Amino acid sequence: MATIFKSGKTIVKMANMNSAIARRSGNSGRPQPAAAPVPLRFRDDPLLWAGWLYAHDGMTQNEIAKAMGISRATVNNYLAEARSRGIVTLTMETSRLSEFMIAQALMERFDLSDCIVVPSAGEGRSLIDRLGETGARVLERLIRPGDAIGISWGRTMISLARNISHLRLPDLSVVQVTGGSTAPVDFTPELCVSQLATSLGARSINISAPAVVSSPAVRDILMGEPLVRDQFEMARKTDKIVFGICSTRPESSIHASGLIQREDLKHPSLQRSTAVIAGRFIDDRGKPVRGPLDDRTIGLTLEELREIKLRIAVAGGAEKTTAILAALRGRYANVLITDADTGHSILQAEGVPESLGMLKGTRRTQVQGGNLVKTKKLINDATNIIEEMLDGMIAAHPKHLRQLEGSPRSIVAVDGPREGKVGIVVGGGSGHEPTFVGYVGKGLADACAIGNVFASPPPDPILECTKAVDGGAGVLYLYGNYAGDVMNFDMAAEMAAMENIEVRTVLSTDDVASAPLDQKEKRRGVAGNFFIFKVTGAAADKMWSMDECERIAKKANSRTFTVGVALAPCSLPQTLRHNFELGPTEMEIGMGIHGEPGVTREPLRTADEVTDDILERIFAEMDAPEGSKVAVLVNSLGSTPLMELYVINRRVAERLERKGISVHATWVGTYCSSLEMAGMSITLIHLDDELTELLDHPCDCAMFRAG
């Protein structure tokens, strides 16, 4: 099948054209000479003739009708029949649609009037610059003569202000919505207002007071001053407001802004804050965080901000995902401008099914006969598949697993949690079985919270797991480094702290291909979870302290390395469609377990060549000199059989032997899957005496037994 015509978002293909011609014309199946006139070749078969003119020559239906001497309606029927028979196929470039699909899902989820999603990668320009420019284009489209436009402060806001075109509409005003700052940064409230007003040729209305004052009494006095009172009255009457969303993380703009002192940010009342909007703090549910600082702040309140008719939030980046989600939950914005990765992470954290599969579209989705190809699965109702899977799992392993009453997606080990023991809670999206729920048992994880397919579990089942395994020594969370998981496990940890349960977290980051070494903290957690869970579960089973369990989990993670290869896509139960496309002779090195892009796509090679490629990537990072010791995991991503895995393991053993590295233990099979994805991953953990002892410690779970 060869691509012969491309237009816009659709690639049109002629399927098996030469063989079809041969069958129709009675020859041996060899391609006809290219010089043969098209009408003579296809005149006897109007489907092939119409399909060729449409796909190869790019004719419209009207042009085809004239060329064939038939009506346009007949051409339409011929093309429909050609698609249904597979003579003409279409491939949709879903990567072109992914931003639109994410925007639509965000609008529906958070009741937005509009949402604009930009690509996350962009030709050498920073995300802030691209968001600022997009925000400027959106604001230009919305501004009307006589508008009063409010603007907050921040790096994205100053970028937006600098990118605004010189519209020169009559009677425009730009209004400051918080007090000011004299900090030596170029994104203070005064500078943002001044820049936007200059760009628009508008009147600038500033607030003649600082953003934060020394006491509530001073605030009341200043807010009572006629000048300041009048300025705020104009701020409250703005027609539209554009604002950034700031996280409360240590590296966020709130710490560099100069509006708020660092000692103020350490106040206990702000410890549960997640985001800052126009100088006001909110928690992860979008509720205002009240406290002494709130009473000293000069600026629009969150309630006043929500009264403004058009509220445009411009923010993006992985570090702001939690903050943006909090703002959306609080309904502070009704227009959102963000990037695709951030939008996808927000939807994943909310467990929105539309955020899966094609929504992350970085691959092409195959279409045959005019219809998306559907896969076949042995399921009942896709909406109940997780519950039915868990029912079957509990029925199969009643001596190992139990569900918590009232929280069926909280699975607890029958034998494991006990007084004085550090509780181990794991979790993540389903579709990766036996990860995560399969590793609940004595000597391993004490509980697992389960999300939808490829989506994080929400905070509630995580909290229920936490309470169920708390033996007084604290609870350690272990899970993969994905934005949705981080967000919801962090929320559960905060909720647990309110119930006086100490919670700590160690993220697995073993996927070598997902980020460079100098950004290891951004890497994903994949099949290497197996070793990290095993080692840390053993430490907890030996009644080690929280400090020691946390230390050994971090140590195991730092010495675990995984690289995978995908050969064919998986399909989601909700859609029964592939979530990306790989050609029949292609493979992708480094692809993630949800179909995230890898590091290279290339022609399929032999098992030994693929294994060598993967091992070289691991050896480049694993500081294991001759005489070292490792454990090996050769893992199927779903449909790759044991026969092929053992061929892979044979080569792994050969390479390690030649490097003088001994293999202490090997596991071969399906330990971390991606539904039915074809492919495999190789994981090595560089052992020392301490890790070896813990790896050998007895464990007993539903999926395997050791010791």
Side-chain angles (χ1 to χ4, degrees):
M1 185 181 292
T3 302
I4 56 179
F5 176 68
K6 183 172 181 179
S7 174
K9 297 169 183 169
T10 304
I11 298 172
V12 184
K13 299 180 179 180
M14 294 297 291
N16 301 316
M17 175 60 76
N18 291 326
S19 59
I21 296 167
R23 289 194 302 274
R24 305 287 180 142
S25 55
N27 65 26
S28 63
R30 291 172 297 191
Q32 298 295 303
V38 170
L40 293 177
R41 186 187 301 175
F42 300 132
R43 189 178 298 280
D44 293 335
D45 192 326
L47 297 186
L48 287 178
W49 188 3
W52 182 270
L53 295 175
Y54 179 65
H56 183 271
D57 293 347
M59 287 187 177
T60 66
Q61 292 188 17
N62 281 332
E63 291 169 339
I64 295 170
K66 290 179 181 178
M68 295 181 68
I70 57 178
S71 70
R72 187 181 184 280
T74 302
V75 172
N76 185 58
N77 290 335
Y78 283 166
L79 292 176
E81 179 69 11
R83 285 194 292 270
S84 69
R85 292 190 187 184
I87 295 170
V88 174
T89 66
L90 306 176
T91 298
M92 296 301 295
E93 293 281 4
T94 55
S95 60
R96 309 277 185 90
L97 302 176
S98 61
E99 289 84 14
F100 173 76
M101 296 168 71
I102 291 170
Q104 288 293 106
L106 288 167
M107 287 174 64
E108 293 174 9
R109 182 68 177 183
F110 298 106
D111 195 26
L112 301 172
S113 60
D114 200 0
C115 182
I116 296 86
V117 175
V118 303
S120 295
E123 300 177 357
R125 300 179 61 209
S126 72
L127 180 59
I128 286 177
D129 286 343
R130 289 184 291 111
L131 287 172
E133 182 178 13
T134 304
R137 302 291 85 78
V138 171
L139 189 59
E140 289 165 6
R141 176 168 54 86
L142 297 172
I143 293 175
R144 299 290 181 268
D147 272 352
I149 305 157
I151 184 170
S152 66
W153 51 269
R155 295 184 177 95
T156 309
M157 290 299 98
I158 198 68
S159 175
L160 180 151
R162 288 168 178 165
N163 277 288
I164 281 281
S165 301
H166 296 273
L167 299 180
R168 295 297 186 268
L169 295 178
D171 302 324
L172 293 182
S173 300
V174 178
V175 185
Q176 191 173 324
V177 297
T178 70
S181 168
T182 58
V185 293
D186 66 350
F187 54 83
T188 62
E190 295 92 338
L191 289 174
C192 290
V193 169
S194 174
Q195 179 66 65
L196 183 59
T198 299
S199 297
L200 290 173
R203 176 190 178 198
S204 176
I205 299 173
N206 294 94
I207 301 296
S208 304
V212 179
V213 296
S214 58
S215 69
V218 172
R219 174 192 175 278
D220 292 343
I221 291 171
L222 287 174
M223 291 293 287
E225 284 294 315
L227 176 62
V228 176
R229 186 176 62 240
D230 291 346
Q231 290 167 343
F232 267 106
E233 189 60 30
M234 296 191 69
R236 295 184 189 99
K237 292 180 178 178
T238 53
D239 303 285
K240 44 190 67 81
I241 183 172
V242 59
F243 59 91
I245 300 171
C246 186
S247 80
T248 54
R249 295 160 63 107
E251 68 275 16
S252 70
S253 297
I254 192 67
H255 296 276
S257 67
L259 272 72
I260 300 171
Q261 300 302 312
R262 290 188 178 272
E263 53 268 25
D264 290 328
L265 294 172
K266 295 178 182 178
H267 193 278
S269 66
L270 298 183
Q271 294 308 298
R272 59 188 180 88
S273 63
T274 297
V276 185
I277 301 173
R280 304 288 181 174
F281 290 78
I282 59 175
D283 65 16
D284 48 40
R285 292 292 173 183
K287 296 180 180 178
V289 176
R290 308 296 186 189
L293 186 60
D294 199 52
D295 296 333
R296 293 163 41 212
T297 296
I298 293 180
L300 289 184
T301 66
L302 291 169
E303 293 79 4
E304 289 170 336
L305 185 147
R306 265 197 297 217
E307 290 297 316
I308 298 172
K309 186 175 181 180
L310 187 60
R311 308 180 300 280
I312 307 168
V314 188
E319 72 283 357
K320 290 191 176 183
T321 301
T322 307
I324 298 169
L325 177 56
L328 293 175
R329 284 171 171 165
R331 300 297 191 263
Y332 297 107
N334 50 21
V335 174
L336 174 66
I337 301 168
T338 190
D339 65 289
D341 284 350
T342 303
H344 184 265
S345 296
I346 289 169
L347 292 168
Q348 247 193 338
E350 287 285 277
V352 178
E354 289 83 0
S355 68
L356 308 176
M358 288 198 307
L359 192 63
K360 190 63 174 173
T362 56
R363 300 291 183 272
R364 293 179 298 175
T365 300
Q366 185 68 31
V367 183
Q368 292 181 357
N371 296 307
L372 286 169
V373 175
K374 285 198 171 184
T375 58
K376 292 179 281 189
K377 293 181 182 290
L378 292 172
I379 62 176
N380 296 312
D381 183 349
T383 59
N384 298 326
I385 192 169
I386 310 303
E387 284 67 29
E388 291 184 350
M389 175 190 73
L390 294 176
D391 288 346
M393 189 174 289
I394 298 297
H397 307 287
K399 294 182 179 179
H400 293 94
L401 305 173
R402 66 182 179 90
Q403 288 174 293
L404 291 182
E405 186 175 352
S407 185
R409 292 200 182 185
S410 300
I411 306 298
V412 179
V414 171
D415 187 4
R418 55 190 185 273
E419 282 298 313
K421 174 184 174 298
V422 173
I424 305 295
V425 173
V426 302
S430 55
H432 303 301
E433 291 73 29
T435 299
F436 298 85
V437 65
Y439 302 132
V440 173
K442 181 171 173 54
L444 276 156
D446 296 303
C448 174
I450 299 155
N452 289 330
V453 176
F454 293 179
S456 168
D460 292 340
I462 303 171
L463 177 62
E464 293 306 313
C465 286
T466 307
K467 293 190 290 187
V469 306
D470 175 37
V475 175
L476 183 60
Y477 289 169
L478 303 176
Y479 56 92
N481 185 24
Y482 298 90
D485 293 301
V486 171
M487 188 182 311
N488 288 337
F489 273 89
D490 281 354
M491 290 168 59
E494 293 175 2
M495 295 157 69
M498 297 177 186
E499 302 197 26
N500 297 317
I501 302 174
E502 180 188 6
V503 173
R504 299 188 195 177
T505 296
V506 176
L507 302 178
S508 57
T509 56
D510 59 296
D511 187 356
V512 171
S514 58
L517 182 59
D518 61 353
Q519 299 178 41
K520 188 173 181 180
E521 73 283 354
K522 295 182 179 180
R523 288 179 173 174
R524 305 179 291 242
V526 286
N529 279 319
F530 171 80
F531 288 128
I532 298 162
F533 294 172
K534 176 68 183 72
V535 165
T536 312
D541 194 50
K542 291 165 74 73
M543 304 300 287
W544 287 16
S545 69
M546 172 67 89
D547 287 343
E548 285 296 285
C549 288
E550 181 183 28
R551 177 189 66 80
I552 202 66
K554 291 179 177 178
K555 179 179 179 180
N557 180 62
S558 70
R559 296 167 72 100
T560 300
F561 308 88
T562 302
V563 177
V565 58
L567 307 180
C570 62
S571 59
L572 305 173
Q574 294 90 347
T575 64
L576 296 180
R577 295 186 177 107
H578 291 145
N579 61 343
F580 61 89
E581 180 192 346
L582 271 172
T585 61
E586 288 183 317
M587 66 177 186
E588 186 153 345
I589 299 286
M591 180 174 285
I593 55 175
H594 307 107
E596 298 95 339
V599 291
T600 177
R601 179 177 285 207
E602 54 193 70
L604 181 64
R605 291 179 280 156
T606 67
D608 283 2
E609 289 172 330
V610 173
T611 304
D612 288 344
D613 187 317
I614 289 175
L615 288 176
E616 288 306 318
R617 296 175 189 274
I618 293 176
F619 291 154
E621 295 200 11
M622 186 177 71
D623 184 17
E626 185 175 353
S628 297
K629 180 171 54 177
V630 299
V632 177
L633 172 64
V634 180
N635 169 66
S636 171
L637 291 174
S639 66
T640 298
L642 280 168
M643 175 186 288
E644 297 171 32
L645 298 181
Y646 281 120
V647 171
I648 297 294
N649 186 63
R650 159 195 147 276
R651 184 60 174 171
V652 172
E654 287 177 356
R655 290 296 310 276
L656 290 170
E657 181 180 5
R658 291 172 188 173
K659 289 183 74 69
I661 298 174
S662 63
V663 177
H664 176 72
T666 301
W667 284 266
V668 178
T670 303
Y671 290 87
C672 179
S673 66
S674 181
L675 294 170
E676 80 277 24
M677 186 186 291
M680 63 86 194
S681 62
I682 298 172
T683 303
L684 301 183
I685 179 171
H686 183 197
L687 298 172
D688 60 10
D689 291 342
E690 183 181 45
L691 291 173
T692 301
E693 179 184 352
L694 293 170
L695 196 65
D696 291 342
H697 183 76
C699 70
D700 187 9
C701 68
M703 299 306 169
F704 76 102
R705 184 179 298 173

